[in-house]
Amino acid sequence: MSGEGISRRTGLKVLGAGAVGAALIGEQRASAAAATTFVSEPSYVFFDNYFTGATDNDKITAMNAWHKAAGSTNPRPAVLFDTRVYTFSTPIEMWSGMALLGGRRVAAREFSTGTILHYNGAAGTSMMTFVANSQGYPGDGSPRDMSFHSIQFEGVTGSHYLPKHDPGTETTYAGKTLWYTNWHGCAWKSFATIWWGWGDGCCITGPTHTQLLTDTAFHVGGSECSFFGNDAFSYGDSPTDIHVPYFRSRLSKATIGRILVTARKTNTQLSIEAGFALDVHQFYVDAQDSDPVYGSPVRISGGDGINLSNLSFKGAMHQPASANGGAAANRAWIHVTGGSQILVQNCSFSLGGTSANAATPLLYAGPAIGAGQIRWGLNSYAKFAGAKAHVVQSAANQVYVVPDPSVVIDGP
C-alpha cells in the first residue's frame, strides 16, 4: 500500500476460483457494469465482487460465513467496501480478526460522501451481533482484534449499532465484551445507541462524528480503553430533551478524550458512575447559544481516581429548575454525589450562551463525599468579568482548592 490509500497500479483480473479478490483502484477502476473482480493488493477483498449474492443482504450473509471459516488466528484479507450506500437487515457477525474498510480510506464524518453501511433492521435489533468465537483468549467467545476504518454506520429509528447490554445492571459480560477493537475515522448516525456494554483494549481514533441518536450513545464498562484520541477532533451530538447523558462511564484505566459534545435542554454530556483511574482529557462540553443545557453537564456518582483535565465548559446551568431532577439535582456545572479522589484542573469555564453567572457554582460536593476527596486545581474562567468563581461543599474539608484568589469555597 501507499500511505493510507491503496496503490494506484493497474487492476489485474483474477484467474482461478480460489484467488482472493480485492479493491478496484483509482483511475484504473472498471465501471460497475463490468462487474469484474480485480486485485491490486493481496490484503484486500472487494465486497461487491468477492462475495456472492444478488443483494447486499445476500453478500453480508456470505461475508459472515467467510469470516467464520477464517478462524480466530489465521491471516485473512480486509474487506473493502465501495463508496456507495449498502442497505441491509442481516446483522454483521463479529468474528475475531475481521477488518472492514471504507473505500475512500479517509474520515467518514456524517455527510454521506463515502462508504455508508445502512442497517434497516427492526427496532431493538442491532447492525452488529455477537457470535461464539473459538479461541484461546478470551475464552468466553467474545470477539477480539477487529478493525473498522472510514465507514459511516447508519441505522433506523430504534435500532442499535452494537447489541444493547446495560453494564450497570447486567450481571455477566461473558461473550459480550469487545477486545482490542479499533474504529478509525468512523461515524454513526440515526441509531438509538452506539455502544452499551463492555470493552477491553478498545480505541476510537481519528475524526469521529455521531449524529441523530435517540438515546445515550455510549454506556461502557471495562478497562484499558481510549475514546476519541488526541490525534484528531471529534464531534458528538446528544439527543434533544429526553433527560439522558451522551456518555455514561463505568470504565477503569481508561481515557475519554478530545470530543466536542453538543447537548440541549434536559440532556447532558457526561455521567461517571463507577470504575477507577479514569482520565477525562480535552472533553468539550458545548451547547448552541440558542438551545443551552438546563442543568449540570457533568455528573459524578461513583468511581475512584477520576481526573478531569483540560475540559471546556460552555452553555450549561441555564435553568436548573427545569433540568432532570430539578434544581436540587443540578447544583453546579460538575455535580458530584459519589466517588473519591477526584481532581479538576486546567479546565476552562465560560459564561457564554447561558443565563448562569459567576455565582453559579462550578462544582458541588454532596453529603456522601469524604473529606479531602475532591481537589480543585488551577482553572480559567472566561466572561466572569473579574468576579470570583464558586465551588460548594456540603461538609467541611470535602474540597481542597489549590490556593487561587479567583475561587471561593461556599459551605461549611
Side-chain angles (χ1 to χ4, degrees):
M1 291 195 304
S2 174
E4 280 293 298
I6 301 170
S7 61
R8 296 166 59 88
R9 65 182 74 163
T10 302
L12 301 175
K13 189 172 182 179
V14 174
L15 301 177
V20 175
L24 295 173
I25 311 302
E27 295 171 354
Q28 301 297 328
R29 181 174 180 170
S31 67
T36 307
T37 305
F38 282 70
V39 62
S40 65
E41 301 284 354
S43 296
Y44 297 88
V45 297
F46 183 50
F47 178 88
D48 287 34
N49 291 337
Y50 188 74
F51 298 110
T52 59
T55 67
D56 290 339
N57 267 324
D58 295 337
K59 292 178 183 294
I60 293 291
T61 298
M63 182 182 72
N64 287 339
W66 181 77
H67 277 128
K68 179 180 181 180
S72 300
T73 58
N74 298 316
R76 86 290 313 271
V79 177
L80 183 70
F81 290 83
D82 204 348
T83 50
R84 70 173 179 89
V85 179
Y86 296 83
T87 301
F88 55 94
S89 58
T90 300
I92 297 172
E93 297 174 352
M94 291 186 284
W95 293 102
S96 293
M98 68 184 292
L100 308 184
L101 307 180
R104 298 199 307 175
R105 295 294 303 276
V106 297
R109 300 189 176 89
E110 62 183 83
F111 305 110
S112 303
T113 56
T115 298
I116 301 100
L117 299 189
H118 175 61
Y119 178 72
N120 66 350
T125 63
S126 59
M127 174 183 285
M128 313 297 289
T129 188
F130 287 104
V131 290
N133 286 274
S134 179
Q135 59 203 9
Y137 183 84
D140 64 0
S142 292
R144 70 183 185 195
D145 184 29
M146 299 187 298
S147 297
F148 306 91
H149 197 305
S150 306
I151 297 172
Q152 178 180 314
F153 301 102
E154 189 169 320
V156 293
T157 301
S159 66
H160 307 277
Y161 172 65
L162 292 169
K164 185 179 180 182
H165 294 287
D166 190 334
T169 60
E170 294 191 27
T171 58
T172 179
Y173 49 80
K176 298 177 287 189
T177 301
L178 302 184
W179 291 75
Y180 317 127
T181 294
N182 174 239
W183 296 264
H184 184 82
C186 292
W188 289 269
K189 187 175 180 181
S190 301
F191 290 101
T193 68
I194 296 172
W195 184 4
W196 282 43
W198 302 267
D200 196 301
C202 298
C203 301
I204 297 178
T205 58
T208 301
H209 281 225
T210 72
Q211 185 66 260
L212 300 177
L213 307 176
T214 57
D215 199 347
T216 292
F218 298 92
H219 184 189
V220 187
S223 62
E224 295 103 54
C225 292
S226 175
F227 289 83
F228 322 116
N230 60 10
D231 61 336
F233 204 100
S234 297
Y235 295 87
D237 191 75
S238 185
T240 301
D241 204 18
I242 58 171
H243 310 281
V244 300
Y246 176 81
F247 200 118
R248 295 175 62 185
S249 172
R250 307 181 70 85
L251 293 161
S252 298
K253 297 178 289 180
T255 299
I256 302 172
R258 188 182 291 173
I259 183 171
L260 184 146
V261 179
T262 300
R264 302 164 180 83
K265 296 182 176 66
T266 62
N267 281 9
T268 58
Q269 280 87 350
L270 178 62
S271 174
I272 300 170
E273 303 171 13
F276 65 93
L278 176 68
D279 184 19
V280 183
H281 182 72
Q282 294 187 336
F283 185 94
Y284 292 76
V285 169
D286 195 70
Q288 297 172 342
D289 288 353
S290 61
D291 203 1
V293 171
Y294 289 160
S296 305
V298 173
R299 315 180 72 86
I300 302 175
S301 56
D304 183 31
I306 300 166
N307 297 322
L308 306 182
S309 62
N310 296 91
L311 277 69
S312 171
F313 291 82
K314 172 195 169 290
M317 290 300 288
H318 179 70
Q319 195 174 314
S322 300
N324 188 28
N330 296 270
R331 295 176 182 266
W333 291 73
I334 304 172
H335 187 99
V336 183
T337 57
S340 56
Q341 292 298 298
I342 300 166
L343 173 64
V344 182
Q345 65 177 351
N346 300 332
C347 296
S348 174
F349 296 86
S350 172
L351 295 179
T354 176
S355 64
N357 55 45
T360 304
L362 300 181
L363 178 136
Y364 165 75
I369 305 302
Q373 293 304 306
I374 300 178
R375 294 170 173 82
W376 187 270
L378 295 176
N379 300 284
S380 62
Y381 310 103
K383 300 188 177 182
F384 275 62
K388 295 183 182 296
H390 291 253
V391 298
V392 176
Q393 58 186 9
S394 301
N397 302 318
Q398 288 177 314
V399 182
Y400 171 75
V401 175
V402 171
D404 183 350
S406 62
V407 180
V408 175
I409 302 176
D410 299 323

